[in-house]
Amino acid sequence: MLRSVLLLFTLSVSTLSMAQNVRLDTQKDTVVHLAGVTATARNIEWKSDGVIVHVPLSETKTVNEILRQSPGVSLTDKDILINGTAGVKVLVNDHELKLTGEELLNYLKSIPGQSISRVEVQSHADASMEADAKGGVIKLFLRKRTLDGLQANVSSRIRLSHKMYEFMPSAFISMRMGKVSLYSSLSHLMRPEDKGCFESERKYRNRTDMLTGSGDISEPYHYRRYALGMEWDMDSLNSLDVNMEYTGDSDRKHTVGESSLNLGSMTSKSESVFSQFNKSRMYSATADYRRMLDSRGSCAKILTDYVAKRINNDNHYAYHYPLTSRDSTNQLLQKIDYDIFSEDVSLKKIFLHESYLQTGLKYTYTQMKDFSWQTILKYHEHIGAAYAMFGFEKEHWNVNGGLRMEYMRARDATGLINKKCLDLFPNLNVNYSFDDMKKLMLIMQYAKTIERPDFYAMNPTRVQSSEYAYSVGNPYLKPTYGHRIDATLVCNYRYTFTVGANFYQDMIRPYSRHDAENKLEDYVTYENHAHENHFFIAITAPFNFGSLMRLTTNITGVRQVIKKDASDKSIGHNLVFADAVLQARINSLATIELEYNIHNRLYTSNSQIGTIHLLNASIKHEFLNGRLTASAGIDNILNQQNRYRMILDTYTTNTHINMAESGRVVKLTVAWNINRGKKVKEDTIEKSASAERKRLEESKKSYK
């Protein structure tokens, strides 16, 4: 029963489209004086299609923690959302990560923030990106050296609780030598111990029948990531960027539980042992060729990607029934191979008067082989696309938009999956600045999106997860089409007010049902909901208390309207999300941060996620002129845990899962920054000269 609930909510949260968490970072601004004009270089920069967050080299957070404090971005334990919508694509140096859900979050957790120069958040994907980015796009750009020299960071992070300990060493290096830049990074997340427990209760409508279960969980986990890249500026017009990466993770989950079923006069008790070993490896290689066409920035670009992913799962279930002295076992050996290749060719022409035209072609091929069940399931998908984008700036207006045409063909060897479709996807961004300094802006956006069902959602093979539950895919799923529209008012660069709506047709949702032949069993599958609409209002307001303290508050209200079948009545839910971050600067080198987050009950299909409050605290201090940074903190001070509910027509199941890793945790991070080269020497000479001038001025004042 636990496995059924865990599976349902793993799938449910990954498609949840409700939360919004808008936060702005609070690093100090850099002021530059130019010919009587004072320009402030802020770490938050708004554009017509999104927002840019600049990451300082002294950052001790991981990338997922940086995202959690980025405008419009929120993270659950299973997914990333922008403005309350899931289905977010993450790109690194303009190349898409072929990861979703927990795999994506673990990948981001393994990247130290120091290796990222900036983060771009777009709530709407433009026409140059695949239209299945229904939740928007997050772009990460690796820190690269632009002048000859060396830039490096070595860090170590420890997280501890009474039933869990985790250690993550990481390092990155960026080096420039003439026309060649080399950059590399590595990290290793080791969690040898992570223990917890679960309690589950199934209550039938007749108030007398009941199924209860409880048990202990142990889940050690390991993650590795190694990356190496090179950028070669062949001449003033041509450049080549090549990157190779390996990621691998493994976990051994062991669950010991017991359950008791009471149906009328029938009583059944069972003891279960569930052992699971999951291992995945991913190899990727990317190559970018760019040729500049003129001095205005026009360029031709060729992007090539190849990803090979290998997954091995070994699941073993054993059940013992004390009342009948009966035993049963169930074992699943699963091996899945993914191979994904894509090629993107584009041309961008920048004209006079701040206007541009970009056109491109892209082709993506996906092959999947599932070696489970003693047969080989093969799935092939081809997506071809052509797109065009146009944009211009005139006085206070910044407008850009595009149209993407996609043709998709997908099939498997059995013939159950055989689909093809041709679609057009327009998008439009309009930005109006009420003043020359762009302190007051109105940003309006529209985009049409699609969510195609993944193969695992269509796989018709039955996978038993416990004695009372299993999962099975639905090969007849239709794609989800969406229309997204919103408007954001930005005041003084940091205050935002957003109103918007998302309209979805044939929304793909995990759904739990009774087994037609065995009423004691339920199963999780995927189904299309006729309509699901979200209407939201979001407000971000930072407050300064003097020069040493800053409070950023965010409140989001969502009206979720669900219609399961076209003939059903619409069901509405009101959702509220609130978030606050308080940063207090002790001195020029030390900062304290308190973070509080709350959301009420979340709904998806016939499942619910309980209300949760999160309170985190941390302190960061810099030493040796910023070369050494140390931070310490406590996450989830209130020790909040996950609570789930599943509602069927004859019973309701409530489950509490308490894992040490997601509970109250103490964390410690130490980072060492190395920065050597031409620019560093110039800065050192300038600082030395400034110091000499300051001492000279002070001596003159003293003499007077």
Side-chain angles (χ1 to χ4, degrees), residues 217-457:
I217 307 171
S218 176
E219 190 173 8
Y221 178 76
H222 295 270
Y223 191 93
R224 299 160 300 282
R225 175 181 172 272
Y226 312 105
L228 177 65
M230 179 197 73
E231 185 174 11
W232 176 27
D233 296 327
M234 293 178 278
D235 51 43
S236 60
L237 299 178
N238 299 279
S239 66
L240 177 66
D241 193 346
V242 179
N243 183 76
M244 294 178 292
E245 185 171 281
Y246 166 80
T247 60
D249 70 337
S250 62
D251 71 90
R252 294 182 179 273
K253 188 171 184 178
H254 186 74
T255 304
V256 178
E258 58 182 14
S259 62
S260 176
L261 175 64
N262 297 294
L263 291 178
S265 59
M266 183 189 76
T267 300
S268 175
K269 294 186 178 182
S270 64
E271 299 170 353
S272 62
V273 176
F274 168 56
S275 298
Q276 181 183 41
F277 176 64
N278 297 325
K279 182 179 180 180
S280 69
R281 304 171 307 283
M282 187 172 71
Y283 310 86
S284 65
T286 64
D288 299 358
Y289 170 74
R290 302 169 191 261
R291 178 176 175 82
M292 303 303 298
L293 302 177
D294 55 43
S295 60
R296 292 188 295 269
S298 303
C299 70
K301 184 168 55 176
I302 301 176
L303 305 181
T304 304
D305 284 74
Y306 173 71
V307 176
K309 188 176 180 181
R310 307 294 181 248
I311 301 174
N312 294 86
N313 296 325
D314 184 357
N315 303 326
H316 184 268
Y317 313 83
Y319 309 102
H320 173 65
Y321 303 87
L323 297 180
T324 61
S325 299
R326 181 170 59 89
D327 297 325
S328 66
T329 60
N330 186 5
Q331 186 171 12
L332 169 64
L333 298 177
Q334 189 175 37
K335 183 178 184 298
I336 303 176
D337 293 345
Y338 290 92
D339 290 277
I340 305 171
F341 172 81
S342 66
E343 189 80 17
D344 190 347
V345 180
S346 64
L347 175 65
K348 183 175 183 180
K349 178 64 176 178
I350 299 179
F351 305 99
L352 297 175
H353 310 297
E354 303 296 332
S355 61
Y356 74 90
L357 174 65
Q358 181 176 348
T359 59
L361 299 171
K362 185 173 183 179
Y363 169 73
T364 301
Y365 170 74
T366 301
Q367 175 182 267
M368 196 221 70
K369 295 181 181 179
D370 187 341
F371 297 91
S372 310
W373 312 107
Q374 301 177 351
T375 59
I376 300 178
L377 297 177
K378 294 183 179 181
Y379 172 79
H380 301 270
E381 182 180 83
H382 305 263
I383 299 178
Y387 58 88
M389 301 167 57
F390 178 74
F392 69 89
E393 289 187 35
K394 185 175 182 180
E395 296 178 349
H396 292 248
W397 292 93
N398 186 331
V399 179
N400 63 78
L403 180 65
R404 184 181 183 91
M405 180 177 66
E406 286 190 356
Y407 174 78
M408 188 275 293
R409 174 69 188 269
R411 60 185 176 84
D412 74 330
T414 66
L416 283 176
I417 302 173
N418 190 359
K419 301 180 180 181
K420 57 182 178 180
C421 62
L422 177 67
D423 291 297
L424 295 176
F425 300 96
N427 77 285
L428 178 65
N429 303 312
V430 179
N431 183 349
Y432 180 77
S433 302
F434 294 89
D435 59 279
D436 294 335
M437 296 299 295
K438 299 183 178 181
K439 298 184 68 174
L440 182 64
M441 297 188 300
L442 179 63
I443 302 172
M444 296 167 286
Q445 298 179 300
Y446 164 78
K448 179 184 176 182
T449 64
I450 188 173
E451 180 186 10
R452 298 184 180 93
D454 292 318
F455 177 77
Y456 64 80

Side-chain angles (χ1 to χ4, degrees), residues 122-162:
Q122 300 177 8
S123 60
H124 300 244
D126 60 40
S128 67
M129 288 174 278
E130 293 183 4
D132 60 348
K134 75 181 185 69
V137 177
I138 293 175
K139 296 182 178 180
L140 307 177
F141 292 90
L142 299 177
R143 195 178 300 277
K144 297 181 182 179
R145 187 80 183 177
T146 57
L147 296 175
D148 285 358
L150 173 71
Q151 191 174 68
N153 175 274
V154 179
S155 64
S156 180
R157 178 186 176 100
I158 300 174
R159 300 173 71 240
L160 302 167
S161 73
H162 69 294

